[in-house]
Amino acid sequence: MKRTLEQQRIEFSNQKFLATPLAGLIVWTVIGCVGIFFSDFVAVWSIFIGTGSIVYLGLFLSKFTGENFLDKTKPKNEFDKLFLFTAAQAILVYAIAIPFFLVDYSSLPMTVGILTGLMWLPFSWIINHWIGIFHALVRTVLILVVWYTLPEYRFIIIPFTIVLIYIITILILKNRKSTGETTL
């Protein structure tokens, strides 16, 4: 029996959504620690390599969160496909981040931090929940604030700001079923 888009959306929305945010939390924590203990040159590479590996770490973690992204037995869902497109969008924004990085290398945590966080907006629409809007907006505002107010700590404070937003996001995602929250 063919499922309607609304049925697929409900099915998609009923997932846990923990593996990918956990992967982001882990990677940005490592990036922040690299910023503390290593040179800016190493910190730059940790951002490029780390953020590029979030999807792979998420795939790995999904086996332990019960989401198992690579499960071939699950029925196809158009919203899984849409979510992959939002992830691809996040990768394409490096076309904006890299030119700014080449002019001012310290812009990298800000541009990558903000631009890769934009995928949370369509995620909010897909699952019909406010958490993605919260994540994207608060992440953007806080990154801008700390980028301007603490320029000498950009490779430390921006990653840990993102980690804080991930912690809040994960807690809300984890508890959204028990509180009955499902709509925008």
Side-chain angles (χ1 to χ4, degrees):
M1 179 177 160
K2 187 171 171 124
R3 297 173 343 269
T4 67
L5 271 179
E6 189 56 31
Q7 289 169 323
Q8 291 182 59
R9 184 179 189 172
I10 291 167
E11 178 185 291
F12 182 87
S13 298
N14 285 331
Q15 295 179 68
K16 294 178 184 177
F17 304 113
L18 296 176
T20 305
L22 281 170
L25 180 136
I26 292 166
V27 166
W28 281 102
T29 299
V30 170
I31 291 169
C33 290
V34 168
I36 293 171
F37 297 110
F38 295 95
S39 68
D40 287 352
F41 177 80
V42 176
V44 162
W45 280 104
S46 75
I47 291 172
F48 281 124
I49 294 167
T51 57
S53 68
I54 289 174
V55 69
Y56 302 108
L57 182 56
L59 288 169
F60 174 74
L61 292 174
S62 75
K63 293 179 182 191
F64 302 100
T65 62
E67 297 167 90
N68 198 1
F69 296 152
L70 298 176
D71 182 1
K72 302 287 185 202
T73 63
K74 287 194 298 190
K76 298 275 187 216
N77 187 305
E78 289 299 315
F79 292 97
D80 286 323
K81 187 175 173 182
L82 177 59
F83 186 72
L84 288 174
F85 274 94
T86 65
Q89 168 195 326
I91 293 166
L92 290 174
V93 298
Y94 282 89
I96 296 170
I98 291 172
F100 283 103
F101 158 75
L102 293 173
V103 173
D104 177 3
Y105 76 93
S106 75
S107 70
L108 192 65
M110 176 191 62
T111 56
V112 171
I114 291 172
L115 294 170
T116 58
L118 295 178
M119 68 183 290
W120 284 91
L121 287 174
F123 174 76
S124 246
W125 176 83
I126 295 170
I127 69 165
N128 202 24
H129 191 278
W130 56 269
I131 187 55
I133 296 167
F134 166 84
H135 185 103
L137 290 177
V138 173
R139 180 172 169 161
T140 298
V141 169
L142 289 180
I143 288 172
L144 283 174
V145 167
V146 299
W147 193 80
Y148 280 112
T149 59
L150 298 164
E152 62 277 1
Y153 299 106
R154 289 174 176 162
F155 287 94
I156 301 166
I157 195 74
I158 290 174
F160 287 124
T161 298
I162 295 168
V163 167
L164 174 65
I165 299 303
Y166 270 123
I167 291 169
I168 295 166
T169 300
I170 290 166
L171 290 173
I172 292 167
L173 284 170
K174 191 167 173 34
N175 293 315
R176 75 186 167 104
K177 299 285 186 203
S178 61
T179 62
E181 283 186 77
T182 56
T183 58
L184 290 172

